[in-house]
Amino acid sequence: MVKTKTVYVCSNCGNDSPKWLGKCPVCGEWNTYVEEIISKSSNAKNSSSIFETTKAKPLLLKDVETGEEPRINLHDEELNRVLGGGLVPGSLVLIGGEPGIGKSTLILQTVLGLNEVKTLYISGEESARQLKLRADRINSNSENCFIVCETNLEQIFVHIQNLKPDFVIIDSIQTIFTENVESSPGSVSQVRECSARVLKFAKETNTPVVLIGHINKEGSIAGPKVLEHIVDTVLQFEGDQHYMYRILRSIKNRFGSTAELGIYEMRQNGLREISNPSELLLTQNHEGLSGVSISAAIEGVRPFLIETQALVSTAAYGTPQRSATGFDLRRMNMLLAVLEKRAGFKLIQKDVFLNIAGGLKVNDPAMDLAVISAVLSSSLDISIEKHVCMTGEVGLSGEIRPVNRIEQRILEAEKLGFSKILIPQNNLKGFTSKVNIEIVQVRKVEEAFRQLFG
Ligand code: TYD
Ligand code: MG
């Protein structure tokens, strides 16, 4: 009989302890210890290789061939870019996201478009029939995509050995379990053990593997942080359930930049790549509407113009209401305080609601000027001219601070047909291109307001 014992494992860092602890001594997090059952014999089994015959030999670093890593083109511009120019053979990629956001759709759609690559899609969540229904919905079929519904890791490796695929998908890592570890699927030790063995497989056979992972209620990928350390690339698929836009962010990438961003739209028949996000975020005709301003923002490395909407009304109750969607509420409160000081905006008497178009969350500080202008526009009930956009960070004393990549912002605004852009003073150093857009440099919020509202 296999002797079992229980340990307590920190779900944040993976540290274990024979008894429960309130605070993890390693990572300092509170209340992260969960009970796990491990079998005595597991350690002996763990060390065995998946393919006993493949033994890698140490090489001199100087003898390792460099050359351009040949990457697999996924025929999806957004995904290719976020991965740093395609999928690297032998890499292990983790895609995390909330349930129902479209992770399975994204990956299935991608592999169905890859006719030349033999793929094995391992599903632990859906039946083959469900996957077929989804594929029909996406309206795409590949000659080279194999499906297997399996959750046992040992069985999965048998399938892999028989089929010898060039690309493996595991949907999701939390449903897979190995017989070596006795705790239930999705537990810290199962996730850690399974992903470590999948990594070994990927590196030994140079086969790329994509793992789909759930995220927990705090928004991080469920399972220990070690999972993120194990894989080469961590992508996060996010978006608001009520909006159609989805954003693919790179959180960690051993083969490319983490500044890249992919934008998709969820449609009836799958996800559509959005190569020009500004078009999407500016569709409404807002001429004559107060409380709307357009900001030239940058997310990742791509510039886009985005609409900010504000509604200011008289506070009906003692405590004025403040709400911000897609923007940091504390930052908004700071901007309102600046407005109070600089434009006689009576904070205590006003409810303020702020909304960034499209359900996007924008972290670019250059949004400040547009936010403050939208609020003032609504408060004064004077609309901002339709062909004017702006960019700039607002400081505590009402000064407008320079922002990065100003050229890209100006060129994007010009491309989209704006006739005027407000930018921070002294931000234009080194910018020499001739542009067909009026550039107005502003030093303080008062100057910006004079430009906008006369
Ligand atoms: P899914 O890929 O199952 O999400 P995840 O794997 O992240 O849990 O996405 C499911 C959602 O996407 C579901 O609410 C329906 C929607 N959807 C579409 O709108 N259009 C489509 O073509 C497909 C396949 C799904
Ligand atoms: Mg899924």
Side-chain angles (χ1 to χ4, degrees), residues 98-105 126 134 137-138 266-270:
E98 282 175 19
I101 205 77
K103 304 178 292 295
S104 309
T105 307
E126 288 159 308
R134 193 198 299 267
R137 213 171 150 186
I138 299 169
M266 180 62 96
R267 295 223 171 161
Q268 276 303 317
N269 53 353

Side-chain angles (χ1 to χ4, degrees), residues 325-394:
T325 314
F327 193 77
D328 183 26
L329 188 62
R330 271 179 300 176
R331 182 116 198 133
M332 182 180 90
N333 282 329
M334 184 281 267
L335 293 173
L336 294 181
V338 172
L339 259 183
E340 173 159 52
K341 191 94 177 162
R342 303 280 150 193
F345 178 85
K346 292 278 174 292
L347 272 177
I348 195 118
Q349 297 161 0
K350 304 274 174 43
D351 286 344
V352 180
F353 306 95
L354 186 77
N355 187 18
I356 307 292
L360 290 188
K361 279 194 188 65
V362 191
N363 295 322
D364 187 358
M367 292 286 294
D368 288 359
L369 186 57
V371 167
I372 212 167
S373 306
V375 171
L376 194 63
S377 160
S378 175
S379 178
L380 298 172
D381 204 17
I382 302 176
S383 65
I384 297 174
E385 247 184 274
K386 192 179 154 205
H387 295 292
V388 176
C389 64
M390 60 203 82
T391 190
E393 184 181 341
V394 174

Side-chain angles (χ1 to χ4, degrees), residues 77-89:
E77 284 298 310
E78 306 290 299
L79 196 55
N80 276 340
R81 208 188 35 246
V82 174
L83 287 171
L87 188 65
V88 176

Side-chain angles (χ1 to χ4, degrees), residues 45 54 86 166 202 219 229-230 247 274 310 320:
K45 262 192 186 172
T54 48
D166 303 320
H229 291 305
I230 289 173
I247 294 188
I274 309 260

Side-chain angles (χ1 to χ4, degrees), residues 119-129 131 145-152 155-160 163 165 168-172 176:
T119 33
L120 177 61
Y121 191 110
I122 298 150
S123 175
E125 298 195 334
E126 288 159 308
S127 66
R129 239 180 67 86
L131 282 166
C145 177
F146 294 85
I147 303 277
V148 60
C149 300
E150 182 61 71
T151 51
N152 181 316
Q155 287 297 316
I156 288 173
F157 281 127
V158 172
H159 289 303
I160 290 176
L163 189 69
V168 177
I169 318 289
I170 299 182
D171 185 3
S172 64
I176 307 298

Side-chain angles (χ1 to χ4, degrees), residues 263-287:
I263 304 184
Y264 293 90
E265 182 186 10
M266 180 62 96
R267 295 223 171 161
Q268 276 303 317
N269 53 353
L271 290 154
R272 185 176 74 96
E273 301 164 36
I274 309 260
S275 37
N276 186 358
S278 306
E279 265 170 34
L280 244 173
L281 303 165
L282 288 177
T283 42
Q284 266 88 31
N285 183 4
H286 58 84
E287 187 150 25

